[in-house]
Amino acid sequence: MKTIQFITMRVTEHPVFQNFWYPVLPAVDLQDEPVAFELLGQRLVLWRDGTGQVAVMRDRCCHRTAQLSRGKVVDGNLRCPYHGWQFNAKGICVQVPQLADMPIPASYRVSAYPSAERYGYLWVCLGEPIAPLPEIPEAEQPGFRVIPEFYEMWHCSGLRLMENSFDNAHLSFVHAATFGLQQEPAPADSEITELADGFQFQSVVPVANSPLQQQNLGMTSDRTHRILNSRWFLPFTRKLHITYPNGLIHIIVTAATPIHDSSSQIVQFCIRNDQESDAKAADIIAFDRAVTLEDRAILETTDWDTPLALDAEQHMPSDKPGIIMRHKLAALIRQHSHS
Ligand code: FES
Ligand SMILES: [Fe+2]
């Protein structure tokens, strides 16, 4: 078994990461054509069968390895572009044009994986789930609206984005142009409650309130504060739950779905207890977008091959969330390591 000194966040080297649910695609982006997605270094094809049901399979034909995502959905099956073999949603080959009526060997099949549709996204687990799909009750409650914000690949590891989400010390620097208070770099205090599959994070953070945000929040003051009651879900999903003094709730859910060791698919949506007539979705996205691009510019410069040993990097008290993440990730990897 590897000691912690040698454990890094090369996610493809740790099979345990296959046992979590990850959002891989906005559900509306999967229509008649198959779509390719790489998850934990595994090439997948997503498609909808004749009933609209989502199928997820390895994107590699069992005949001559052609990419099935270049094929077509025909009669509710996925047809390989190379020799036309057809596979059903379970990955079983149900038609081989060249064999006419001869029986199809049972070995003609590709691996299929479970999927779920939740919060407007398609989620996939490559193994046996060891944690439920992250619960975001507000996304399904009346009085709240869900706004898809963006979906894009970043060159950084999931851990880097997760620890950044709970890092009160970077706001005055990275977010000076959006909401950080430049003259007040001291990080707000926070309280963390550890949970089996992550933690709960509470903090009250003073922030600048730009003209765009004044409009989005319905508050004219040029500064305000955020009451945070946020959640980290192992391994790479965060839920920032922000309440503003006027009662407005702005929840940002972000997943850093691991594509490969050095890249993550960033899936972000927000949930609010107001309506389009109160604040336009486009303006809300514009603000959150600007903030996230500020983070991206920094996070893509960090080492993606993040070590979990604490002596590999230097720390300060406000780094506690990231330290707990390192402990929990290292424990998880060790617990499920067979070598
Ligand atoms: S490679 Fe797929 S049918 Fe031949
Ligand atoms: Fe940030």
Side-chain angles (χ1 to χ4, degrees), residues 60-68 79-87 95-98:
R60 178 177 177 276
C61 183
C62 59
H63 179 219
R64 286 296 179 268
T65 75
Q67 255 185 293
L68 294 167
R79 188 179 70 191
C80 179
Y82 198 172
H83 308 93
W85 293 17
Q86 287 186 25
F87 299 87
Q95 244 231 31
V96 178
Q98 295 82 1

Side-chain angles (χ1 to χ4, degrees), residues 164-165 167 170-171 174-175 179 291 295:
N164 168 267
S165 303
D167 173 7
H170 77 293
L171 312 183
V174 174
H175 301 303
F179 69 95
V291 171
D295 286 315

